[in-house]
Amino acid sequence: MKSFAAVVAVFALFLTVAGVTHASPPKIHVAEFAVTGAANSQELKLTLQGILASRLNPDLMQLVEKPDQAELMVIGSYALFGKMFSLDVLIKSRDNGTLTKVFEQGEGQEEVIPAVSRLARKIDAEIAKRAPAAIAAPPVVPALPLPLPAPVLAAPLAPPSPAAAEKPAKTATPYVIRSEPSAKELPGNWSSAPLEGVFSSIATGRTRTSREQELFVANNRTIRAYLKGSELKLVAETTIPHPGKILALDSADLDSDGVPELYVSIIDRETPSSRIYSFDGAAFSLLAENQVWFFRGIGTDIGSRTIFAQEIEAGGKFYGTVKELVKSGQRFTTKNSLGLPHSGNIFNFIKLNGSSGKEYYAVLDEDGYLVVYPPDGVEAWKSSDKFGGSEGIVTTGAQNYSRSTGDLPRWTFLEQRMTLLKDGTLLVPHNEGSFSFGNNRSFDKYSLFGFTWTGAVLKEKWHTRQSPGYLADYAYNQASGEVVLLEVVQKSGMFNKGKTVISINRIE
């Protein structure tokens, strides 16, 4: 009877300890750093954000991707004064608005990372102060001795027969899982020598009589024209005025004069200030500047490609409808508004045609899912996997950013372009990476997917094997059946500019 009572007591004690509720760690969002006085401010914003986030103690907090998911905001700034720097962090509660400030300072670039590590420890300490006592591990309760059960005498085992001792253990029957469709390699591979720097946009031009292909690439401020033969040859270069930033690059020949135009989407201090150039084969000529639209080219041939345009309002939201761009001499106007669904914008949609001739739109939504809409805007299909994935970003609201109140700038990611081939195949890229939260994304491998729209579902036809690197952009040449890839093979950092490769493959 005493043994039974002891067992009951231990069981009750276990239930009491297990019933203690452990409060989950607070959800934390680390915002992009504000950088002052440093030449490479754009790179430092994301680099410092990533370094700090990776050094916070995961046992004390849970990192979340979006600010609206967070209970606490970690808002940092980096200021450089000569050789001295200061790292300041504001920890703000979204519930009651309480603020806590911590800082570190040092001298020289080699001291930045150690200072960030020290700063992370200070943040850990502040978070630990806010954590409820229930987060702490419960006290260890010494186990009470249990009565030993009466021994059970086992029957003696017969010695195994020689045949049974020599018989090998039975192994599991092997099986093979075959994916359908299977991954494939794209034939006809060609790659350029690495280009110094990180380039984010690419577009194709004409194919010369010498069989050389015109290629245009852009980074934040520079546009280059190359000729691709057996090697890559730089032909021309132009730079946009500071502080403008190039977001996207597209090419077309809207007036059918045989001379390609380049449609350059640019943001300048949170305002669209796009430009349009022509390229005569040797130099760029500026056709229009300070345009209020962002552009996206749709079509697999430069001669028949359509350029669409959309405005963006001061708050960073896309404004109005997406319209077709028209070139009349040196003037540009718009016509024919598209009936995109509410989640569609100039950078994330493509037209699809159903078997009955009905027109659909495929959209990469803000979470990366492929969604198909008919003209009535009611969702017809949505993927279960994510696609796209871009590190290109537009930041707005920075002019109203206040460190005292913790108001944050807003950002919009520019999604990967999708291309509808003439055989009905929808070409969709997919970037993947091990580090992605908030407005800090880092992708390190990619693949291409081919889909077909059946009228009910987007059905996968094929996908390529994963390749290392970040696919920043791509273009497709229908005449040759080639896809031209812009691959970032080395990211830029505090001490390097990064490297980009152009590669060409054929889709058969």
Side-chain angles (χ1 to χ4, degrees):
M1 191 68 183
K2 292 181 179 179
S3 298
F4 177 75
V7 171
V8 171
V10 172
F11 184 68
L13 180 61
F14 171 77
L15 290 180
T16 302
V17 175
V20 176
T21 301
H22 289 220
S24 59
K27 295 180 179 179
I28 307 293
H29 174 76
V30 180
E32 179 182 294
F33 270 63
V35 176
T36 305
N40 52 344
S41 59
Q42 288 300 120
E43 292 82 0
L44 276 176
K45 289 179 181 180
L46 300 179
T47 302
L48 291 172
Q49 179 192 33
I51 293 174
L52 178 61
S54 67
R55 282 156 174 76
L56 295 175
N57 188 345
D59 295 330
L60 295 175
M61 65 198 77
Q62 177 186 350
L63 290 177
V64 293
E65 181 177 358
K66 298 179 180 179
D68 56 8
Q69 299 172 333
E71 301 166 44
L72 297 174
M73 302 294 300
V74 175
I75 305 164
S77 66
Y78 171 87
L80 183 64
F81 306 95
K83 293 183 179 180
M84 296 293 298
F85 66 83
S86 177
L87 288 161
D88 300 83
V89 163
L90 180 72
I91 305 171
K92 178 182 179 183
S93 171
R94 293 180 62 91
D95 294 334
N96 53 29
T98 57
L99 303 175
T100 303
K101 296 181 180 181
V102 294
F103 72 93
E104 276 291 334
Q105 62 188 36
E107 181 178 355
Q109 289 185 339
E110 65 278 1
E111 280 295 315
V112 173
I113 293 179
V116 174
S117 298
R118 296 193 300 270
L119 190 66
R121 299 290 74 78
K122 290 184 177 181
I123 296 172
D124 289 343
E126 293 296 330
I127 300 300
K129 292 178 185 177
R130 296 167 176 261
I135 287 182
V140 178
V141 179
L144 296 179
L146 294 179
L148 296 175
V152 178
L153 298 178
L157 297 177
S161 64
E166 295 176 1
K167 185 177 180 179
K170 186 178 180 180
T171 58
T173 304
Y175 61 93
V176 177
I177 296 177
R178 291 185 174 87
S179 60
E180 184 61 39
S182 59
K184 66 177 183 179
E185 299 285 356
L186 293 181
N189 180 272
W190 174 91
S191 294
S192 70
L195 309 177
E196 186 178 26
V198 172
F199 290 83
S200 55
S201 302
I202 191 167
T204 58
R206 300 161 294 191
T207 300
R208 303 280 185 90
T209 54
S210 60
R211 307 300 300 169
E212 292 177 308
Q213 173 75 50
E214 293 175 344
L215 298 176
F216 307 104
V217 298
N219 58 21
N220 286 347
R221 295 193 58 234
T222 302
I223 308 166
R224 291 180 181 177
Y226 287 96
L227 277 182
K228 184 268 169 187
S230 58
E231 296 180 352
L232 206 59
K233 180 173 67 175
L234 179 62
V235 177
E237 181 176 296
T238 188
T239 303
I240 67 169
H242 184 78
K245 177 184 177 181
I246 297 173
L247 304 178
L249 182 67
D250 288 272
S251 61
D253 184 9
L254 296 189
D255 55 7
S256 302
D257 63 353
V259 178
E261 305 105 32
L262 291 179
Y263 296 87
V264 189
S265 299
I266 299 171
I267 192 165
D268 185 344
R269 286 161 290 195
E270 305 185 11
T271 302
S273 183
S274 298
R275 292 186 157 209
I276 303 171
Y277 295 88
S278 65
F279 180 70
D280 62 5
F284 294 105
S285 297
L286 181 63
L287 300 179
E289 59 183 333
N290 300 323
Q291 300 298 293
V292 297
W293 307 293
F294 291 156
F295 306 114
R296 178 66 95 198
I298 293 182
T300 56
D301 179 77
I302 190 170
S304 59
R305 186 171 299 139
T306 302
I307 298 293
F308 291 95
Q310 187 178 21
E311 297 180 43
I312 186 171
E313 59 187 17
K317 296 181 179 180
F318 289 98
Y319 172 76
T321 59
V322 174
K323 299 181 181 180
E324 182 181 339
L325 193 70
V326 178
K327 183 177 186 292
S328 302
Q330 300 298 310
R331 295 183 62 252
F332 294 88
T333 56
T334 57
K335 66 176 185 178
N336 300 336
S337 297
L338 300 182
L340 292 184
H342 68 280
S343 59
N345 63 61
I346 188 66
F347 293 118
N348 73 351
F349 84 98
I350 191 72
K351 287 183 176 182
L352 297 176
N353 293 318
S355 56
S356 61
K358 188 177 180 180
E359 191 173 75
Y360 293 83
Y361 292 105
V363 171
L364 274 168
D365 69 14
E366 63 178 4
D367 295 316
Y369 293 100
L370 265 172
V371 189
V372 178
Y373 297 91
D376 61 12
V378 178
E379 180 182 306
W381 179 88
K382 184 176 181 178
S383 67
S384 57
D385 297 317
K386 294 184 179 182
F387 296 92
S390 171
E391 295 178 7
I393 190 171
V394 179
T395 303
T396 54
Q399 294 176 355
N400 299 321
Y401 170 60
S402 171
R403 295 178 189 172
S404 61
T405 63
D407 292 336
L408 292 174
R410 293 172 294 277
W411 58 82
T412 301
F413 281 97
L414 311 179
E415 257 306 347
Q416 291 285 339
R417 70 176 75 234
M418 298 180 285
T419 303
L420 188 65
L421 309 187
K422 288 189 176 180
D423 66 355
T425 299
L426 177 62
L427 191 59
V428 183
H430 183 206
N431 278 307
E432 295 183 68
S434 57
F435 186 72
S436 175
F437 71 93
N439 63 337
N440 191 354
R441 295 183 176 183
S442 181
F443 300 106
D444 53 24
K445 51 183 177 291
Y446 73 90
S447 52
L448 293 174
F449 284 75
F451 295 93
T452 184
W453 174 243
T454 66
V457 297
L458 265 179
K459 185 177 181 181
E460 183 185 333
K461 297 173 63 177
W462 52 261
H463 64 271
T464 64
R465 298 185 186 278
Q466 280 189 340
S467 299
Y470 163 58
L471 182 62
D473 196 10
Y474 75 96
Y476 182 74
N477 187 333
Q478 181 68 46
S480 62
E482 292 176 332
V483 59
V484 185
L485 308 173
L486 190 66
E487 305 169 80
V488 178
V489 296
Q490 183 186 81
K491 301 293 182 67
S492 63
M494 296 176 66
F495 309 111
N496 67 79
K497 296 181 179 179
K499 294 185 184 299
T500 308
V501 167
I502 299 174
S503 62
I504 298 178
N505 301 270
R506 188 171 62 256
I507 296 178
E508 295 180 338

